[in-house]
Amino acid sequence: MTEAWGPDDDEPRRHHGPVRVRVPAKINLHLGVGPLRADGFHELNTVYHAISLFDELTARAGDTLTLTMEGEGTGTLELDESNLIIRAAKALAARTRMPAYARLHLRKSIPLAGGLAGGSADAAATLIACDLLWGTGLSRDELADVGATLGSDIPFLLHGGTALGTGHGEAVSPILARPTTWHWVVAIADGGLSTPAVYRKLDELRDSSFPPKALGDPDELMTALRQRDPAVLGAALGNDLQPAALALRPELAAVLEAGQRAGAVAGLVSGSGPTCVFLATDAGHAAQVAAGINAAGVCREAVTARGPMPGARVT
Ligand code: ATP
């Protein structure tokens, strides 16, 4: 399993392993949700942003496909065919006509069902790791095509940075802004929220007599990103799923309030929640906001993070 893939030096080569890949979590700086389409997806226009909260996937040569894990969600997350890691390895094997053989190990820090796309991140890491281990030599765009069949956020997590997502989020184009590091506080909740349940709740709220106002296009956010001013970016952040996440988890209002009281520039629910994220002016301010939220005792833990970060990369 660890020999060179072919005699020709032009052929991609198998890696002798282990291959270790680090992958970030994502937040959505703007999440505009359109109406429900006939194919069951909502039309999205979103601005993805990769932050410094990472999972790590290690792939070793094996004569079967196995998955083990440690960290967040151990004992809860199924390690069988339902796991996005196994599904991603099999999808790549099918695409490249390789046997899906690897020993995979996940070190998980991204909370489960947190609105941070941890499962999609793990799938993106698997695609990068197995591509190198098996010597299949697909481009990042080809891997993104394989990933898009499994989850809308996977193409973004292969690319990372800050990017516009359209379609149902799978069509990704990088946003070229002047390099700026943004400082965040990530308030991790106890327990998760089901993404489909949050979308269903949004549809229900939109059918009600007082539907929440929809965000529309991310133009203001895109302009704000170019200005490098936290106050301007803070005013442009928005998430159409927030009212639905709050309806399903009213306690999140106290988290958002605690962030505001701790002096955050702005705060919002991350994706489908229940994680909330807060913008800070710099690293010191982020530490101060995290300490304030932790002191309020309204969530499991508030941690600091930076963005943008690169997507899934071999370490
Ligand atoms: P979304 O990408 O829908 O916003 P999320 O960030 O809210 O998702 P995830 O942790 O990505 O939540 O996963 C949602 C569900 O996907 C989990 O509850 C779990 O059942 C399933 N899942 C499958 N594989 C994985 C994985 N490797 N890590 C996390 N969840 C996984």
Side-chain angles (χ1 to χ4, degrees), residues 232-258:
V232 176
L233 182 66
L237 297 172
N239 178 4
D240 274 344
L241 289 179
Q242 182 161 311
L246 282 165
L248 291 173
R249 192 70 70 83
E251 318 75 284
L252 293 182
V255 182
L256 293 171
E257 204 184 300

Side-chain angles (χ1 to χ4, degrees), residues 67 77-88 106 122:
L67 173 61
L77 183 61
E78 300 286 352
L79 300 175
D80 59 11
E81 304 286 314
S82 68
N83 196 294
L84 278 161
I85 294 174
I86 299 290
R87 294 177 57 206
L106 172 67
D122 298 344

Side-chain angles (χ1 to χ4, degrees), residues 10-306:
D10 290 341
E11 299 276 19
R13 286 179 173 272
R14 281 185 184 167
H15 196 282
H16 291 255
V19 180
R20 189 164 289 125
V21 175
R22 191 176 82 158
V23 65
K26 67 86 193 152
I27 61 175
N28 303 79
L29 306 183
H30 173 104
L31 180 49
V33 182
L36 183 62
R37 306 191 314 203
D39 63 3
F41 287 106
H42 289 79
E43 190 72 30
L44 298 187
N45 57 63
T46 187
V47 176
Y48 291 115
H49 183 71
I51 58 166
S52 60
L53 177 61
F54 301 103
D55 279 358
E56 188 186 88
L57 186 92
T58 306
R60 292 182 170 83
D63 46 18
T64 170
L65 182 61
T66 60
L67 173 61
T68 52
M69 78 172 288
E70 62 189 290
E72 276 288 328
T74 304
T76 306
L77 183 61
E78 300 286 352
L79 300 175
D80 59 11
E81 304 286 314
S82 68
N83 196 294
L84 278 161
I85 294 174
I86 299 290
R87 294 177 57 206
K90 290 198 163 175
L92 178 66
R95 163 77 165 70
T96 56
R97 299 202 171 82
M98 291 292 291
Y101 294 163
R103 288 186 292 139
L104 305 172
H105 182 75
L106 172 67
R107 273 181 63 189
K108 195 155 183 62
S109 302
I110 307 174
L112 287 195
L116 297 166
S120 300
D122 298 344
T126 305
L127 293 173
I128 297 279
C130 290
D131 180 59
L132 192 60
L133 187 72
W134 299 340
T136 41
L138 265 57
S139 68
R140 212 162 274 268
D141 285 343
E142 287 169 326
L143 293 175
D145 288 342
V146 177
T149 63
L150 303 170
S152 309
D153 298 336
I154 298 173
F156 170 69
L157 289 155
L158 286 162
H159 286 97
T162 305
L164 186 65
T166 53
H168 46 88
E170 84 296 355
V172 173
S173 18
I175 294 172
L176 300 169
R178 281 188 294 168
T180 307
T181 298
W182 300 100
H183 296 272
W184 302 97
V185 175
V186 182
I188 298 166
D190 274 320
L193 264 179
S194 145
T195 304
V198 176
Y199 275 95
R200 274 198 302 275
K201 189 64 179 178
L202 178 66
D203 293 335
E204 204 183 296
L205 292 176
R206 284 180 168 174
D207 286 342
S208 70
S209 1
F210 301 103
K213 196 171 172 294
L215 275 180
D217 292 333
D219 304 342
E220 188 194 340
L221 194 274
M222 309 272 267
T223 310
L225 277 172
R226 275 182 233 116
Q227 293 187 40
R228 306 166 105 184
D229 178 346
V232 176
L233 182 66
L237 297 172
N239 178 4
D240 274 344
L241 289 179
Q242 182 161 311
L246 282 165
L248 291 173
R249 192 70 70 83
E251 318 75 284
L252 293 182
V255 182
L256 293 171
E257 204 184 300
Q260 197 181 24
R261 259 190 278 114
V265 178
L268 79 172
V269 169
S270 172
S272 52
T275 306
C276 292
V277 289
F278 300 89
L279 180 62
T281 51
D282 54 36
H285 183 222
Q288 198 185 311
V289 171
I293 297 172
N294 282 322
V298 287
C299 64
R300 167 148 63 102
E301 192 188 8
V303 296
T304 60
R306 281 166 297 116

